Amino acid sequence: MNNLSLYQLSSNYLQALDFLTDPEIDLPIESINDTLEGLTGELEDKAVNVTKFLRNMEAVADAIKEAEESMAKRRKALENRVKWMKDYLKNNMEYSGISKIECPFFKLSIQKNPAAVNIFDEAAIPEQFKEQVISWKINKTAIKDAIKAGEAVKGAELTNGTRLVIK
């Protein structure tokens, strides 16, 4: 088998199909069929090999995704543990009345945070401190239904693409 790309094989197949089906060229039907079968076989073999490679890449991507999810869970567990330990340390220092601890490796201290606003009743906040936020979400399902029903929707159209199905 040659080392042509799938694109090159497809192009060769179409060129051969054009040549072999040219009504001005007199070739026996068997010759045409044999040539097209040979090209089809090469194209199909290459497509099978590309699909095998694609499946392998999908499996690797899935494995990476699983590892990412596992690592994210582990990271989150560690972050939660760190937060719990910091709170534990802070609470015990405050309870004991200790505001500083120093050692050769680090220094611990309890500090006041900057002032933060706590909203406990949004309705009671004066209008001067509120700003209106408007957000739009396009309902593609409704647009699709309207276009299918024959209604013209300005700024939208239905398109049909293709996809590769591997079973």
Side-chain angles (χ1 to χ4, degrees):
M1 187 166 147
N2 58 37
N3 289 328
L4 295 178
S5 70
L6 189 59
Y7 175 78
Q8 290 167 323
L9 287 172
S10 298
S11 179
N12 290 353
Y13 180 84
L14 291 177
Q15 287 174 358
L17 188 62
D18 283 345
F19 174 76
L20 295 172
T21 57
D22 186 343
E24 295 182 13
I25 298 173
D26 188 27
L27 291 173
I29 293 293
E30 299 83 29
S31 174
I32 295 172
N33 287 339
D34 289 346
T35 303
L36 289 178
E37 280 179 25
L39 288 171
T40 301
E42 283 185 58
L43 186 70
E44 288 175 356
D45 288 345
K46 190 72 161 194
V48 166
N49 289 328
V50 168
T51 303
K52 286 177 183 176
F53 185 69
L54 172 126
R55 285 269 170 93
N56 186 53
M57 287 192 306
E58 287 175 336
V60 170
D62 288 344
I64 291 170
K65 184 177 179 180
E66 285 179 28
E68 287 172 338
E69 290 169 359
S70 176
M71 290 172 61
K73 286 178 186 175
R74 186 168 180 227
R75 176 190 50 82
K76 189 66 176 168
L78 288 170
E79 288 172 348
N80 289 339
R81 179 58 57 101
V82 166
K83 182 185 178 327
W84 181 88
M85 292 181 88
K86 282 182 176 180
D87 289 344
Y88 172 76
L89 191 56
K90 177 183 157 287
N91 291 337
N92 281 288
M93 286 176 66
E94 287 176 337
Y95 181 75
S96 302
I98 300 171
S99 61
K100 281 187 184 180
I101 298 174
E102 291 189 37
C103 75
F105 306 107
F106 45 80
K107 178 177 128 180
L108 305 172
S109 62
I110 305 294
Q111 296 180 348
K112 289 192 178 234
N113 289 332
V117 176
N118 179 31
I119 307 294
F120 55 88
D121 184 4
E122 286 188 20
I125 303 291
E127 292 296 318
Q128 73 188 58
F129 298 110
K130 295 179 180 179
E131 63 182 61
Q132 185 176 20
V133 177
I134 298 175
S135 176
W136 295 97
K137 181 179 181 274
I138 296 175
N139 185 341
K140 290 185 176 182
T141 303
I143 292 172
K144 181 179 180 180
D145 293 342
I147 293 174
K148 280 186 170 182
E151 184 179 335
V153 178
K154 191 174 182 179
E157 65 182 3
L158 287 182
T159 60
N160 286 336
T162 60
R163 68 181 183 277
L164 176 65
V165 177
I166 301 173
K167 295 183 179 180

